[in-house]
Amino acid sequence: MTKTPIPSSELIINPDGSIFHLHVKPEQLADKVILVGDPGRVPLVASHFESQECDISSREFRTITGRYQGKRITALSTGIGCDNIDIVLNELDALANIDFSTRTIKDNLRQLELVRVGTCGGLQPNCPEGTFVASEISIGFDGLLNFYAGRNDVSDIGLEEAFLRHMDWHGTQCIAHPYAVHANEELIQRIAGNDMVRGITIACGGFFGPQGRQLRLPLADPEANAKIESFEYEGHRINNFEMESSALAGLSLLMGHKAMTCCMVIANRVAGRANPNYKNSIDSLIKLVLDRI
């Protein structure tokens, strides 16, 4: 059966054979990938590598592939937000599962292990600054997954419906329908172990209004954070806010990859405290993930 090549407008390959945004070539991608937001955090991850194969920078995307304790690992920065995760996940999947010479999808799926290591805001008393939080379930406020076929097949519809009832959102307050997706269970068990707080994470479409921060602009729902903090579903509470976990989990489920997010709490919204010097301590979370991935 003849395969139809993917047009160059849909899969943009640079003249040097690398993928459009990341500027990474297929042979430079490892099966195990650690994702961070800040490009400056990639060399921090790679500082633990015994050897390095490549160091590539393009916009907010920086990629270093190397070896750690015999494991080949790619460290990659995504920048901030689910829109960037859409770029990164689609390009990583293309590197793994599309033949660049023929522009056709490969017959056998290459499954990637993707672990995001980031920072977040805690929403519960048991998530003070410095806590490591694993996102078993992510609720996306960004609406990204709604653009992909199969969205309902990988989403927890019961949780979504319960959350919308609890929030009492309707009309213009619910333009981007929230979606709820589970992280890969095996990865959660392996990476989170017994020393991370597990629960639900909200992935917000912004840092200020979407997370209930008010500077000069008033909020559409001033009670949103209080309602989020009180939500409970089948024993799960919403532990934290961040901005990427839902797109990572959702797209990975659709593509057949294994993914999860773990974050260090740098601010507790309930207590009103923040630690701006978190960069000195996040290396301990990075090291934990490197050992377990």
Side-chain angles (χ1 to χ4, degrees), residues 2 4 55 75 83 117 135 144 153 159 177 199 205 209-210 221 223 243 260 287 293:
T2 304
T4 303
D55 187 341
D83 51 345
V117 179
S135 305
L144 176 68
D153 298 332
L159 192 159
H177 192 292
D221 184 0
E223 302 302 317
M243 297 175 63
M260 68 163 289
K287 184 66 164 57
I293 193 171

Side-chain angles (χ1 to χ4, degrees), residues 26-43:
E27 64 270 16
Q28 294 171 322
L29 174 65
D31 290 341
K32 297 177 182 291
V33 183
I34 293 180
L35 301 172
V36 295
D38 183 359
R41 203 172 294 155
V42 173

Side-chain angles (χ1 to χ4, degrees), residues 66-164:
R67 289 193 175 272
Y68 175 80
Q69 295 184 356
K71 297 177 288 190
R72 188 169 184 251
I73 297 173
T74 293
L76 167 63
S77 61
T78 65
I80 298 174
C82 285
D83 51 345
N84 274 17
I85 295 295
D86 183 60
I87 293 171
V88 170
L89 258 291
N90 275 284
E91 293 202 351
L92 287 179
D93 184 71
L95 289 167
N97 292 304
I98 295 175
D99 186 328
F100 278 23
S101 63
T102 62
R103 294 181 168 274
T104 58
I105 298 172
K106 297 177 181 177
D107 292 327
N108 299 316
L109 171 70
R110 177 184 172 191
Q111 186 181 64
L112 303 176
E113 287 188 357
L114 305 152
V115 180
R116 167 171 141 69
V117 179
T119 58
C120 67
L123 296 172
Q124 300 296 339
N126 67 329
C127 297
E129 304 96 302
T131 304
F132 296 165
V133 179
S135 305
E136 287 186 300
I137 306 169
S138 294
I139 299 177
F141 284 3
D142 53 284
L144 176 68
L145 213 65
N146 299 332
F147 288 88
Y148 289 92
R151 171 250 194 257
N152 284 2
D153 298 332
V154 299
S155 299
D156 190 327
I157 303 300
L159 192 159
E160 289 179 18
E161 293 173 347
F163 181 74
L164 285 172

